[in-house]
Amino acid sequence: MNKFSSNGYLDMELLRFTTAGSVDDGKSTLIGRLLYDSKSIFEDQYEAIRLTSERRGEEYVNLALLTDGLKAEREQGITIDVAYRYFATPKRKFIIADTPGHIQYTRNMVTGASTANLAIILVDARKGVIEQTRRHAFIASLLGIPHMVMCINKMDLVDYDEAVFEQIKKQFQTFASKLNVKDIQFIPISALNGDNVVDKSVNMNWYGGPTLMYLLETIHIGSDLNLVDCRFPVQLVIRPHNNDFHDYRAYAGRIAGGIFKPGDKVMVLPSGFTTHIKSIEGPDGPVKEAFAPMSVSIRLEDELDISRGDMISRENNKPEVSQDIDVMVCWMNAKKLQLNGKYSIKHTTRDARCVIKKIHYKINVNTLHRIQDDKEIGINDIGRISIRTTQPLFFDKYQLNRNTGSVIFIDEATHETLGAGMII
Amino acid sequence: MQSYNLKHIKELEAESLFVIREVVAQFEKPVLLFSGGKDSIVMLHIAYKAFYPAGLPFPLLHIDTGHNFPETLQYRDELVARLKARLVVGSVQESINNGRVAEEIGINASRNVLQTVTLLDAMEEHGFDAAMGGGRRDEEKARAKERFFSHRDEFGQWDPKNQRPELWNLFNGKKYQGEHFRVFPLSNWTEMDVWQYILLENIPMPSLYFSHYRECVNRKGVLLARSEFIKLQKDEKWEKMKIRFRTIGDMSCTGAALSDASSIEEIIEEVAAARQTERGTRADDKRSETAMEDRKREGYF
């Protein structure tokens, strides 16, 4: 058996991270280096971008071309949309959501951040913490990303000076005290020269911490999901119409929180009936327990009227149930959010409609100040609103559970996704 | 102590299961696009698990270019019988006969592009409102920007600059009559993940993926297998080579790779050491830098 067909590869964890930075801070160079050094760039890909760079008269092979896949992006030299990149090391498998720094930054960053466990934020060592750094950090914290890695880049251009690094670190920590992030790390790097990216820098002996790659490979992500509060939104009902499984009825879905076991006493919402779990089917057959984010189907002891959008949880640990909900919304469409406007919404597996009852304030994403006198929420704006839904939602605060605390707003006429909401 | 940490292959599987079930919950008449390639085989395998012990709640749609490898068709028919699945075939030959499309001419003529029309016609004829495909984001740069739920207008077109934002696990499948969705449950899988999963789940694969001797012609670095669809040009000749296919498409545009890999383990070893992307052997992607995006805009897979 070789190293790949042994259990090594199958034993790896998956880390999803997002990268944020502004135009010239070396984000593409950093991603290119992570991909290149982990041998995730293939010869034909490299050859294709080398030729394109050459044709454009660029001095270096432009690694940004790896992620800018669309014709319009390549023509204009900008990133329009979130791009997903994949690489693996012998320790972990990684999904990068690479978000453009300038155009539609909020919309794209929010999208990329919504599924990430970790955010890499790049800071140019020569510029220190600037407006964009604060904006990126705020969005990462708003989206509940548990780990933040501040990469102080271009250390080679400040003579690998420890004082510069410490100064930026201090500057950022002052700001970060206002944010809700569990874990912030600082790494001095040079993406161009590879200092502290994969290999430890020989130019910064004063730095005793991990390299970026080591951190990505080892950071503890096992506690990122909520394994305490049991939440199972019913996705659909499985009822085989065949003779072998006559009275079989199972509720399929993805566990949104907690751990479920056969025999557990559970309560079903909205009906409020209680019953016990008879069995849980995983993708490979019955399981003794199931936890987030597994996709399973659950059979119950009693026959109850349960359908898509219902929630299975515990009697003494239920989600909140309400039609009046406060949400931090990030707006993603040129059509402004309308006070008293009606929208379709999706929350877990539940579809509903809502009306916007109140716009409390808008947030200045650079200073975190609340703007009270301008309550127009347009594209890329973030603000706090109150909504009333046509039927109760079963939810938790977003900071407690991203799966049961998130909601999207949909235009009833065009069906476009207009906004993303985090329940507060 | 029990670890409550899903390993990455199982997490990817859980995500794909969720997406496939979401398709059945949100659409009236979904279909699974089955090409006989490894990605659609894995997707079908997961789809079967998603509804077990119930049967598959949707049919399979195979777009038959008429240029398929015979091995692909045989594998398809056996699998359909084993899963008791329903199979719908859209025929490019019929589209040609009906005058919907014209056969390409020239030495690299292929029916690859023509498939789009047959696919869209089949969707319309059967009233399918969501088509699940095995496309992965790591395959090709235009696919890196694709959503799980990808909206298509009434002409089946994709507008990459105007895609719906997709957040968390909340998939917006709302649409008007006549519009449809393409859904990609394997979006986050890599070629390596697919092979590892095949090994883990012990999924039988078509013989084309394993090393065998075959007569091929080397056309500008692409090894094309001998068939009635490939006409030799001046200075070209058939040579017997030990090859396997990394991807399986049409006989007219799928290139083979020299290989000794005769088991899944050996394929995995080869994939791990590969310095070319799998689509590096596809003549259909080599037509231009944006060949994939151009075809996808029109409604390609």
Side-chain angles (χ1 to χ4, degrees):
Chain A
M1 291 291 258
N2 61 70
K3 67 183 163 132
F4 284 96
S5 53
S6 71
N7 282 332
Y9 190 86
L10 299 173
D11 265 345
M12 296 194 318
E13 287 173 331
L14 182 62
L15 176 74
R16 299 175 197 241
F17 68 92
T18 169
T19 48
S22 36
V23 194
D24 299 314
D25 54 17
K27 181 164 63 86
S28 300
T29 317
L30 178 66
I31 293 176
R33 188 157 277 285
L34 288 171
L35 295 174
Y36 197 80
D37 288 356
S38 62
K39 300 193 172 51
S40 307
I41 297 178
F42 294 99
E43 273 168 10
D44 51 331
Q45 280 176 316
Y46 189 81
E47 187 57 18
I49 62 166
R50 193 188 62 76
L51 285 173
T52 307
S53 306
E54 200 178 273
R55 203 166 55 230
R56 291 178 173 187
E58 291 172 12
E59 207 173 318
Y60 298 104
V61 174
N62 186 350
L63 291 169
L65 292 170
L66 275 176
T67 47
D68 291 343
L70 300 175
K71 198 190 276 182
E73 294 176 320
R74 296 164 90 85
E75 280 166 6
Q76 299 169 42
I78 54 162
T79 312
I80 291 170
D81 208 333
V82 185
Y84 294 91
R85 302 289 314 179
Y86 302 81
F87 72 101
T89 69
K91 296 208 178 76
R92 263 186 189 160
K93 154 93 194 266
F94 301 93
I95 301 178
I96 313 177
D98 182 23
T99 62
H102 44 322
I103 299 205
Q104 305 287 6
Y105 54 84
T106 307
R107 166 184 161 144
N108 283 308
M109 240 207 97
V110 167
T111 303
S114 72
T115 50
N117 316 79
L118 181 146
I120 292 180
I121 297 176
L122 277 138
V123 180
D124 186 327
R126 296 168 304 173
K127 296 180 188 156
V129 174
I130 57 172
E131 214 173 85
Q132 296 204 36
T133 319
R134 288 192 286 267
R135 181 201 301 155
H136 293 148
F138 169 63
I139 291 172
S141 90
L142 185 70
L143 269 289
I145 299 184
H147 312 280
M148 204 184 282
V149 181
M150 307 297 297
C151 285
I152 319 298
N153 191 23
K154 306 198 181 179
M155 287 300 291
D156 51 319
L157 299 182
V158 295
D159 298 327
Y160 298 106
D161 186 354
E162 182 178 9
V164 173
F165 174 70
E166 289 300 331
Q167 170 64 25
I168 293 172
K169 193 170 155 181
K170 219 167 99 192
Q171 210 184 352
F172 186 79
Q173 277 166 336
T174 315
F175 170 77
S177 57
K178 288 187 258 179
L179 301 174
N180 179 19
V181 188
K182 281 193 277 185
D183 173 26
I184 306 179
Q185 312 249 8
F186 297 84
I187 306 180
I189 65 167
S190 163
L192 192 66
N193 299 336
D195 293 274
N196 288 333
V197 178
V198 175
D199 298 317
K200 231 174 159 37
S201 170
V202 292
N203 299 309
M204 292 178 275
N205 289 328
W206 47 264
Y207 173 72
T211 63
L212 177 61
M213 185 66 102
Y214 182 83
L215 192 72
L216 293 174
E217 284 182 324
T218 56
I219 199 161
H220 176 68
I221 52 172
S223 315
D224 290 355
L225 286 164
N226 184 328
L227 292 174
V228 177
D229 307 308
C230 294
R231 306 285 183 261
F232 184 77
V234 175
Q235 202 178 359
L236 46 85
V237 185
I238 293 180
R239 289 188 62 192
H241 298 279
N242 64 46
N243 289 334
D244 297 340
F245 298 93
H246 244 311
D247 297 316
Y248 188 99
R249 182 196 290 255
Y251 306 99
R254 197 166 189 196
I255 295 173
I259 301 163
F260 290 85
K261 296 186 177 89
D264 281 353
K265 189 177 183 190
V266 290
M267 176 182 261
V268 182
L269 294 170
S271 70
F273 288 124
T274 56
T275 180
H276 290 86
I277 294 178
K278 188 182 193 172
S279 65
I280 303 176
E281 293 282 331
D284 304 313
V287 291
K288 289 201 183 78
E289 53 186 356
F291 50 92
M294 285 169 72
S295 284
V296 297
S297 55
I298 292 180
R299 299 177 70 194
L300 300 173
E301 291 290 355
D302 299 291
E303 220 170 88
L304 302 172
D305 175 19
I306 299 173
S307 54
R308 175 173 166 87
D310 291 358
M311 173 81 81
I312 298 176
S313 69
R314 299 294 190 109
E315 193 174 8
N316 53 6
N317 181 350
K318 293 191 293 280
E320 293 182 51
V321 181
S322 177
Q323 283 174 266
D324 294 292
I325 300 164
D326 268 24
V327 170
M328 198 64 95
V329 71
C330 167
W331 207 247
M332 305 177 148
N333 197 280
K335 228 187 280 174
K336 287 190 167 70
L337 174 76
Q338 295 293 318
L339 183 63
N340 298 317
K342 295 189 177 68
Y343 298 95
S344 296
I345 54 171
K346 275 188 183 288
H347 171 258
T348 65
T349 52
R350 189 157 258 244
D351 286 311
R353 296 174 66 217
C354 79
V355 58
I356 309 298
K357 300 292 280 187
K358 190 170 182 191
I359 300 175
H360 298 269
Y361 54 81
K362 195 158 90 173
I363 290 186
N364 179 326
V365 290
N366 301 318
T367 60
L368 304 194
H369 289 145
R370 293 175 182 182
I371 308 168
Q372 309 276 5
D373 51 350
D374 169 18
K375 293 182 179 173
E376 290 236 308
I377 294 188
I379 188 160
N380 293 317
D381 285 339
I382 292 171
R384 180 174 178 151
I385 60 172
S386 294
I387 63 171
R388 180 165 174 84
T389 57
T390 46
Q391 40 173 316
L393 302 188
F394 318 122
F395 63 91
D396 297 285
K397 288 183 174 29
Y398 184 81
Q399 294 295 344
L400 290 178
N401 190 326
R402 289 163 103 182
N403 296 317
T404 52
S406 51
V407 57
I408 56 171
F409 294 82
I410 296 166
D411 193 306
E412 296 194 313
T414 66
H415 299 148
E416 286 171 287
T417 303
L418 302 173
M422 287 135 287
I423 299 173
I424 40 183
Chain B
M1 206 187 101
Q2 161 73 28
S3 154
Y4 294 105
N5 220 345
L6 224 46
K7 298 305 175 195
H8 89 277
I9 290 272
K10 284 288 158 188
E11 188 173 335
L12 290 174
E13 184 192 45
E15 180 176 83
S16 304
L17 282 164
F18 179 80
V19 171
I20 293 168
R21 285 170 172 168
E22 203 59 17
V23 169
V24 169
Q26 289 198 33
F27 295 95
E28 278 171 29
K29 217 175 165 193
V31 68
L32 185 145
L33 299 175
F34 186 80
S35 69
K38 65 182 184 312
D39 301 317
S40 61
I41 292 170
V42 164
M43 175 168 62
L44 179 55
H45 183 85
I46 296 172
Y48 187 75
K49 287 183 172 194
F51 304 98
Y52 183 85
L56 282 176
F58 40 73
L60 316 183
L61 173 59
H62 180 231
I63 300 303
D64 182 357
T65 58
H67 291 175
N68 285 295
F69 287 96
E71 291 91 336
T72 303
L73 297 179
Q74 190 194 340
Y75 180 91
R76 176 195 77 186
D77 293 339
E78 285 169 11
L79 188 59
V80 164
R82 186 151 47 87
L83 299 182
K84 297 194 183 78
R86 276 175 299 145
L87 175 71
V88 176
V89 177
S91 158
V92 174
Q93 186 61 53
E94 242 168 68
S95 302
I96 293 170
N97 296 348
N98 296 338
R100 292 281 295 132
V101 292
E103 189 97 69
E104 284 187 1
I105 46 176
I107 61 157
N108 289 320
S110 152
R111 290 181 169 183
N112 183 280
V113 179
L114 311 186
Q115 295 181 89
T116 303
V117 173
T118 311
L119 169 64
L120 294 175
D121 285 355
M123 302 255 328
E124 206 169 306
E125 183 192 334
H126 295 275
F128 296 130
D129 57 355
M132 287 175 270
R136 309 185 325 261
R137 287 173 179 157
D138 83 319
E139 259 180 280
E140 209 283 334
K141 54 191 182 295
R143 285 196 166 150
K145 306 263 162 170
E146 184 64 273
R147 303 291 190 260
F148 275 92
F149 273 45
S150 182
H151 178 255
R152 301 302 152 109
D153 66 14
E154 58 196 308
F155 299 102
Q157 299 181 108
W158 182 52
D159 181 2
K161 278 173 79 176
N162 203 13
Q163 299 192 77
R164 294 178 182 178
E166 198 163 77
L167 300 110
W168 300 293
N169 288 317
L170 298 171
F171 299 109
N172 176 3
K174 285 184 191 280
K175 57 167 179 48
Y176 280 107
Q177 197 75 37
E179 299 177 338
H180 75 268
F181 270 77
R182 296 292 172 79
V183 179
F184 302 98
L186 305 183
S187 287
N188 278 331
W189 296 57
T190 61
E191 185 186 14
M192 185 58 135
D193 296 330
V194 168
W195 282 113
Q196 291 285 351
Y197 187 74
I198 289 166
L199 178 70
L200 182 71
E201 301 279 311
N202 203 7
I203 304 172
M205 297 302 286
S207 56
L208 294 166
Y209 281 113
F210 303 100
S211 175
H212 57 281
Y213 285 100
R214 192 178 280 259
E215 279 192 302
C216 296
V217 58
N218 185 338
R219 184 171 290 170
K220 289 186 186 157
V222 178
L223 304 180
L224 295 167
R226 180 166 195 165
S227 72
E228 54 181 302
F229 314 115
I230 306 284
K231 303 271 178 284
L232 285 187
Q233 301 303 303
K234 198 170 156 267
D235 300 331
E236 284 183 346
K237 61 176 191 300
W238 298 117
E239 290 171 86
K240 201 167 182 190
M241 305 178 189
K242 196 171 189 196
I243 56 111
R244 69 176 203 89
F245 294 91
R246 266 179 94 184
T247 72
I248 296 180
D250 259 8
M251 295 188 81
S252 65
C253 66
T254 306
L258 294 174
S259 170
D260 288 323
S262 57
S263 67
I264 305 285
E265 284 90 345
E266 282 169 10
I267 289 174
I268 286 170
E269 217 172 316
E270 190 184 278
V271 170
R275 299 308 303 142
Q276 292 267 324
T277 57
E278 56 187 311
R279 295 199 75 93
T281 57
R282 292 290 284 255
D284 46 335
D285 290 349
K286 294 205 165 160
R287 294 192 164 190
S288 80
E289 197 181 14
T290 53
M292 176 65 93
E293 181 183 345
D294 295 342
R295 281 176 297 159
K296 279 179 69 66
R297 279 173 180 270
E298 301 293 324
Y300 187 69
F301 301 98

